[in-house]
Amino acid sequence: AAGVIQSPRHLIKEKRETATLKCYPIPRHDTVYWYQQGPGQDPQFLISFYEKMQSDKGSIPDRFSAQQFSDYHSELNMSSLELGDSALYFCASSSTVGNYNEQFFGPGTRLTVL
Amino acid sequence: GEDVEQSLFLSVREGDSSVINCTYTDSSSTYLYWYKQEPGAGLQLLTYIFSNMDMKQDQRLTVLLNKKDKHLSLRIADTQTGDSAIYFCAESIAGGGFKTIFGAGTRLFVKA
């Protein structure tokens, strides 16, 4: 079965650079969530989208922005990167048809800021 | 407020049962989850329970929910070395969608 796809899987950037992370939800899933997991930390909710509109916002810095496109894929844009942005970024998707509460997580993108 | 707490470490012998406990604060949680994360890997949804249930069993996994005390537990029967991982308790909070709030994770060590 198709799962959530994230790209790239690994990304190395320098301070003050920008990064774009991509998420492709499970086919027919209309809701996408982004989470950030720092080293040794639990995942923290950043932002979610439903039908291309932002549906909820968590602890996402102002330097980050995200959007969901017409094909339901989502991109997380991160600017002026800081060392503390080094983390594993997970995308999850769910569907409003069926069990909306069941979020399926992607494998994550590991971002390292030098 | 939204807060999920769990103990950080648990060590068991292979073949024993493991019990991982969790407490949460948001009484409006609709679903509660257990995720497994192996080193360097993603999050694997193990099981979840709806807030109006008090128990759910799935093969070696048993989830118990005490809604009055806001206490959730995961019991793994016949624990194997392959069960060594971090186990996250999580709750879904209704907002614009259903964002998931995670606990800090319990690192399970299984000794052969």
Side-chain angles (χ1 to χ4, degrees):
Chain A
V4 176
I5 296 171
Q6 292 187 243
S7 69
R9 293 292 309 277
H10 301 272
L11 188 59
I12 299 175
K13 291 285 185 178
E14 298 203 351
K15 278 170 55 176
R16 292 181 287 278
E17 286 191 321
T18 61
T20 298
L21 310 186
K22 297 184 180 182
C23 169
Y24 298 86
I26 291 173
R28 292 181 292 282
H29 278 197
D30 47 23
T31 306
V32 169
Y33 308 79
W34 286 98
Y35 294 84
Q36 177 192 55
Q37 185 180 26
Q41 304 294 314
D42 54 292
Q44 296 289 318
F45 171 73
L46 292 178
I47 196 166
S48 62
F49 291 88
Y50 165 68
E51 284 291 344
K52 293 148 280 185
M53 300 285 289
Q54 180 183 308
S55 55
D56 204 352
K57 195 171 180 180
S59 50
I60 183 168
D62 292 341
R63 298 177 290 107
F64 294 7
S65 65
Q67 57 182 323
Q68 186 180 32
F69 294 85
S70 57
D71 64 351
Y72 296 103
H73 94 273
S74 177
E75 295 184 3
L76 177 66
N77 298 293
M78 310 157 72
S79 63
S80 302
L81 286 169
E82 301 174 357
L83 296 178
D85 296 329
S86 294
L88 194 53
Y89 289 84
F90 289 108
C91 171
S93 73
S94 67
S95 171
T96 50
V97 177
N99 187 355
Y100 186 50
N101 281 274
E102 192 165 2
Q103 293 180 23
F104 294 83
F105 281 79
T109 294
R110 186 170 295 281
L111 171 67
T112 303
V113 181
L114 302 176
Chain B
E2 307 160 352
D3 197 16
V4 178
E5 293 190 358
Q6 47 185 130
S7 52
L8 294 181
F9 300 99
L10 176 65
S11 179
V12 300
R13 290 194 179 279
E14 191 174 24
D16 287 350
S17 292
S18 308
V19 179
I20 303 172
N21 295 299
C22 165
T23 57
Y24 61 99
T25 56
D26 197 311
S27 55
S28 67
S29 296
T30 49
Y31 282 84
L32 294 133
Y33 306 86
W34 285 103
Y35 286 88
K36 177 183 180 183
Q37 186 176 38
E38 297 184 45
L43 292 163
Q44 176 193 354
L45 177 63
L46 284 179
T47 187
Y48 60 91
I49 188 168
F50 188 48
S51 57
N52 70 352
M53 297 169 62
D54 50 23
M55 188 182 96
K56 181 179 179 182
Q57 186 148 7
D58 184 1
Q59 299 181 346
R60 292 191 297 124
L61 305 178
T62 303
V63 178
L64 295 178
L65 174 61
N66 181 328
K67 195 171 181 182
K68 174 176 168 286
D69 294 339
K70 298 191 183 71
H71 182 266
L72 182 74
S73 69
L74 173 69
R75 179 176 180 270
I76 305 173
D78 186 26
T79 312
Q80 303 297 307
T81 53
D83 295 325
S84 294
I86 298 176
Y87 290 81
F88 289 98
C89 170
E91 59 176 345
S92 69
I93 305 292
F98 282 94
K99 65 182 179 183
T100 304
I101 306 298
F102 290 83
T106 298
R107 186 176 291 276
L108 174 64
F109 296 94
V110 182
K111 296 175 285 189

